Amino acid sequence: MAASNANASHPLTLSGGGSLRGTVRVPGDKSISHRALLFGAIAEGETRIEGLLPAEDPLSTAACLRAMGVEVSPIRAGEMVTVRGVGLDGFQEPGDVLDCGNSGTTMRLMLGLLAGRVGRHFVLTGDGSLRGRPMRRVGGPLAEMGAVIHGRKNGNFAPLAVLGQELHGATIRTPVASAQVKSAILLAALTASGPTTVIEPVQSRDHSERMLRAFGADLSVGGSGNTEVTVRPGPALKGQTVIVPGDISSAAFWLVAGAITPGAELIVENVGLNPSRTGILEVLEQMGARITVLNARDVAGEPVGDLQVSHGPLQPFAIGAEIVPRLVDEIPVLAVAACCANGVSRLSGAEELRVKETDRLAVMARQLTAMGARVEEFEDGMAIEGPVPLQGAAIDSETDHRVAMSLAVASLVATGTTTLARSEAAAVSYPGFWDDLARLRG
Ligand code: S3P
């Protein structure tokens, strides 16, 4: 059997060898799922969400919204989710702390939504990982708009207290390209007293811009490379039907698994192909991977397609700061691909990985090294030498969902048996991952 014991108390046993074949439909895009719930909550009327990701992170967003009086129907795989919007200023003050779980997107976007709720008090917290992630990158820009947010270590860490204020418009340059920071500012801007412009160093994912426009916000995008976004407050948002495509960040595990496993032939269906997310496809193409986009189409304002991948020889990659925002969550699994490439792959400009759910540069270097990989870690990246025969080992997700699934992909090409501790972390973004893996190994 490919996978067994997928529970919290026992490491998961994964056997190497064999090949992957068949068709898989990855669950809904996590970024779009959070936004559909949040924007539906501040709209007027009902929002219907098809294909919402039924995983721990969006459940955290839904729970926070319910605690502020928003009706969100139960979130179950394959079922339409409805949100009854309360309008731009309709959140009730919650009687308890809002628990964002493991979800940085929940906490950061919520800060933007709550900062302008005059006279109301909110406290946001999360799990151990989230309480260790920097929040001043959001609190700082929001303070420029008049927000009052308190937290540990000078406002940088949760628990965070938000005391709702009248906000004013501002022009804000963000030092890091982060869709979470940009989106928090855009959401706060919806009820500010004047227009707000966010200027990023490089464009980050633009799901908020697309969806806010579809909900009726007055938003324009400009600057070189779409790096400047302006919101003019005023219009009420109107509930919409949102169709969530499959998550390219989840598809990435199958794309790399298909590219590195001898004999593999896979089709990943219904994958979101928003250009601000497709850096992974460009890098895999640079490596010579055999990937074809089938049935390219547009679904509710987002490009979508099916991806066919088969095994073949891989060349090393070179990834720098310019492309990192477009593949930031795919770097752990690209590190696995690098172990199978013919030469040294190089990653730089990726210091943001150190403040994700874990320090992903350190964790991937540590765990892949335990499997026999040759990895050199730098402050902002890594160099990985391939091809290296990976060996089965006792490894650990260190609680990070994307690390868990990346290491599972590595185990497919390792000799012998791998045991993976804390494999249940995958449920944060892809609850059916272990079942899909078992089925594709068939
Ligand atoms: C996300 C943005 C990215 C990404 C995260 C989801 C979003 O984070 O890593 O998984 O939904 O906006 P940053 O904004 O910190 O780059």
Side-chain angles (χ1 to χ4, degrees), residues 29-32 34-35 57 104-106 108-109 133 137 176-183 200 204-205 207-208 249 277 324-325 327-330 352 355-357 360 401-402:
D29 187 278
K30 185 158 79 65
S31 293
I32 297 177
H34 284 298
R35 287 160 174 77
D57 265 14
T105 309
T106 307
R108 293 191 175 126
L109 269 60
R133 296 180 66 188
R137 54 177 57 201
V176 251
S178 159
Q180 294 177 353
V181 174
K182 172 176 64 179
S183 303
E200 296 192 279
S204 62
R205 64 191 65 189
H207 304 299
S208 292
S249 298
R277 299 284 297 281
V324 165
L327 46 66
V328 65
D329 293 335
E330 289 69 78
E352 270 298 293
V355 292
K356 294 294 179 188
E357 285 82 333
R360 287 181 174 160
H401 56 128
R402 298 203 198 279

Side-chain angles (χ1 to χ4, degrees), residues 108-415:
R108 293 191 175 126
L109 269 60
M110 203 73 88
L111 286 172
L113 276 180
L114 301 181
R117 309 286 65 78
V118 180
R120 279 154 280 176
H121 173 252
F122 309 87
V123 180
L124 299 169
T125 192
D127 70 7
S129 154
L130 187 55
R131 281 182 276 116
R133 296 180 66 188
M135 293 296 148
R136 199 183 297 126
R137 54 177 57 201
V138 177
L142 293 179
E144 289 182 44
M145 302 173 72
V148 175
I149 299 172
H150 297 290
R152 293 183 299 124
K153 302 196 181 147
N154 258 329
N156 204 17
F157 297 102
L160 296 167
V162 182
L163 291 95
Q165 307 291 322
E166 298 277 6
L167 301 180
H168 47 81
T171 296
I172 296 169
R173 278 182 189 274
T174 60
V176 251
S178 159
Q180 294 177 353
V181 174
K182 172 176 64 179
S183 303
I185 298 167
L186 298 178
L187 291 172
L190 292 170
T191 54
S193 58
T196 295
T197 299
V198 191
I199 307 171
E200 296 192 279
V202 181
Q203 189 199 20
S204 62
R205 64 191 65 189
D206 68 352
H207 304 299
S208 292
E209 293 91 308
R210 287 172 187 249
M211 206 188 291
L212 279 173
R213 264 217 199 106
F215 273 74
D218 182 353
L219 180 147
S220 54
V221 181
S224 74
N226 295 332
T227 46
E228 298 189 16
V229 187
T230 299
V231 165
R232 279 167 219 82
L237 304 189
K238 299 279 179 235
Q240 300 292 317
T241 296
V242 180
I243 303 173
V244 183
D247 198 326
I248 192 167
S249 298
S250 298
F253 303 110
W254 305 124
L255 297 180
V256 171
I260 66 174
T261 316
E265 284 283 353
L266 291 177
I267 293 182
V268 193
E269 287 181 341
N270 189 41
V271 182
L273 298 176
N274 179 314
S276 64
R277 299 284 297 281
T278 47
I280 173 82
L281 298 183
E282 283 157 44
V283 171
L284 287 171
E285 193 174 309
Q286 183 190 119
M287 298 179 83
R290 298 173 184 178
I291 296 179
T292 315
V293 179
L294 308 169
N295 197 14
R297 55 206 186 266
D298 218 78
V299 179
E302 292 275 352
V304 172
D306 303 329
L307 300 175
Q308 185 175 40
V309 58
S310 56
H311 172 251
L314 292 180
Q315 298 310 310
F317 60 70
I319 296 175
E322 279 300 301
I323 199 173
V324 165
R326 298 177 52 233
L327 46 66
V328 65
D329 293 335
E330 289 69 78
I331 289 171
V333 78
L334 280 172
V336 176
C339 297
C340 304
N342 267 309
V344 179
S345 293
R346 295 181 194 283
L347 164 71
S348 62
E351 56 276 7
E352 270 298 293
L353 266 74
R354 297 209 179 272
V355 292
K356 294 294 179 188
E357 285 82 333
T358 59
D359 175 346
R360 287 181 174 160
L361 295 178
V363 172
M364 286 308 293
R366 185 155 55 230
Q367 298 300 327
L368 285 176
T369 301
M371 299 180 83
R374 282 202 278 276
V375 184
E376 197 182 343
E377 184 189 337
F378 310 113
E379 201 38 49
D380 70 336
M382 323 190 239
I384 302 173
E385 193 184 327
V388 162
L390 296 180
Q391 298 130 28
I395 51 174
D396 187 352
S397 78
E398 304 194 31
T399 74
D400 187 320
H401 56 128
R402 298 203 198 279
V403 171
M405 293 182 272
S406 300
L407 294 175
V409 173
S411 78
L412 296 171
V413 290
T415 52

